[in-house]
Amino acid sequence: MKIAIIGGTGGQGLGIAIRFVQAGEDVIIGSRTMEKAQKAVDKVKDLLDDVENLKAAENPDAAKEADVLVLTVLLASQRAILLSIKEGATGKILMDATGPLETAIGGSLTRCLYLPEGAASERAQKILPDTNVICAFNNISSGALMNYNEPIDCDCLISGDNQESKITVAKLIEKIPGVQVVDCGPLERAQIIEKITPLLIGLNIKKSL
Ligand SMILES: NC(=O)c1ccc[n+]([C@@H]2O[C@H](COP(=O)([O-])OP(=O)(O)OC[C@H]3O[C@@H](n4cnc5c(N)ncnc54)[C@H](OP(=O)(O)O)[C@@H]3O)[C@@H](O)[C@H]2O)c1
């Protein structure tokens, strides 16, 4: 399976790229610029031995070439990036990791935003009506993903309206050691899944003070 990570140069995208490369999938790291995508590919090649199943591309080309897409950009960039890949994403599956957060994870604020469309993944589905959007990877941290020599002791909550796409996605995600997928139901359940993340981040920050 050829997987494009759209916005794959950030923390979450790079971690997912590494895990799918390790699983033997063909991975394309997408970026707004080829230079940045290539830098991310070079970084992964420095970390892992003998990587041949990884390449760089600009987001629209990555989307066109791949069978399955993963979106890992901040909420503020979600609409523009989705519009830029609309043609390539048509008829395909897109796993959306977008969190409805006011700032990036790791920032001082992790306040939840309440979107008129419901969940960020529901917004993605409205922008790409001819793509099967699945909410995924929201509750797995980039830290866990980047700790690539260790299994991830965490379930991956997913939701979506197309059962076949969820089965495809679950098979891919469960190639990551330690991860079990939990199908939480229709896409609208993303409204709950996506909000677990800011809650957990807030609790972790409180605990560590
Ligand atoms: N980090 C986590 O632990 C975690 C966990 C669960 C969910 N998530 C979600 O995953 C998504 C990505 O998080 P992240 O931590 O990987 O974010 P990040 O490090 O800020 O990376 C996001 C990527 O988005 C791209 N991008 C597109 N348009 C942009 C713009 N206008 N300004 C800046 N960057 C832009 C950038 O790639 P190019 O510059 O190469 O185009 C950047 O590398 C978020 O929605 C977040 O809520 C993150």
Side-chain angles (χ1 to χ4, degrees):
M1 193 81 76
K2 212 173 250 189
I3 304 169
I5 318 291
I6 306 300
T9 57
Q12 190 73 347
L14 204 63
I16 293 169
I18 287 177
R19 295 294 185 154
F20 282 143
V21 164
Q22 287 179 314
E25 302 299 327
D26 287 323
V27 177
I28 309 169
I29 292 185
S31 167
R32 287 168 298 168
T33 68
M34 185 63 184
E35 195 189 359
K36 220 175 151 188
Q38 190 56 53
K39 248 190 180 169
V41 164
D42 294 343
K43 186 173 174 185
V44 176
K45 288 188 172 177
D46 280 346
L47 295 174
L48 306 179
D49 293 332
D50 305 323
V51 173
E52 290 186 0
N53 51 338
L54 179 66
K55 62 184 273 194
E58 290 183 14
N59 288 324
D61 295 332
K64 271 183 205 152
E65 192 176 335
D67 308 303
V68 173
L69 319 178
V70 184
L71 181 71
T72 51
V73 300
L74 299 179
L75 184 73
S77 318
Q78 188 200 32
R79 182 181 301 279
I81 297 296
L82 285 176
L83 289 175
S84 78
I85 62 160
K86 192 166 186 168
E87 190 190 336
T90 297
K92 297 178 184 170
I93 298 170
L94 179 128
M95 297 183 230
D96 186 12
T98 310
L101 305 180
E102 208 162 52
T103 63
I105 290 172
S108 56
L109 265 177
T110 47
R111 227 158 55 86
C112 229
L113 292 176
Y114 290 81
L115 307 174
E117 298 88 348
S121 290
E122 288 181 289
R123 179 159 91 168
Q125 187 64 84
K126 283 215 165 77
I127 298 167
L128 301 182
D130 299 320
T131 299
N132 287 320
V133 175
I134 309 291
C135 170
F137 285 116
N138 251 274
N139 65 307
I140 299 186
S141 73
S142 62
L145 289 159
M146 288 300 293
N147 196 9
Y148 55 88
N149 285 322
E150 298 295 329
I152 298 177
D153 183 17
C154 188
D155 292 336
C156 182
L157 309 184
I158 68 164
S159 71
D161 292 334
N162 184 286
Q163 199 57 33
E164 211 179 304
S165 300
K166 283 194 282 191
I167 292 168
T168 302
V169 156
K171 279 186 189 152
L172 281 175
I173 296 174
E174 288 189 346
K175 289 187 177 187
I176 301 173
V179 178
Q180 268 200 317
V181 167
V182 179
D183 180 357
C184 298
L187 192 60
E188 66 166 43
R189 294 273 161 80
Q191 292 175 28
I192 303 170
I193 297 172
E194 291 173 1
K195 288 186 177 63
I196 294 172
T197 310
L199 174 67
L200 292 179
I201 295 168
L203 290 175
N204 283 336
I205 290 172
K206 198 174 154 195
K207 260 185 155 181
S208 65
L209 289 177

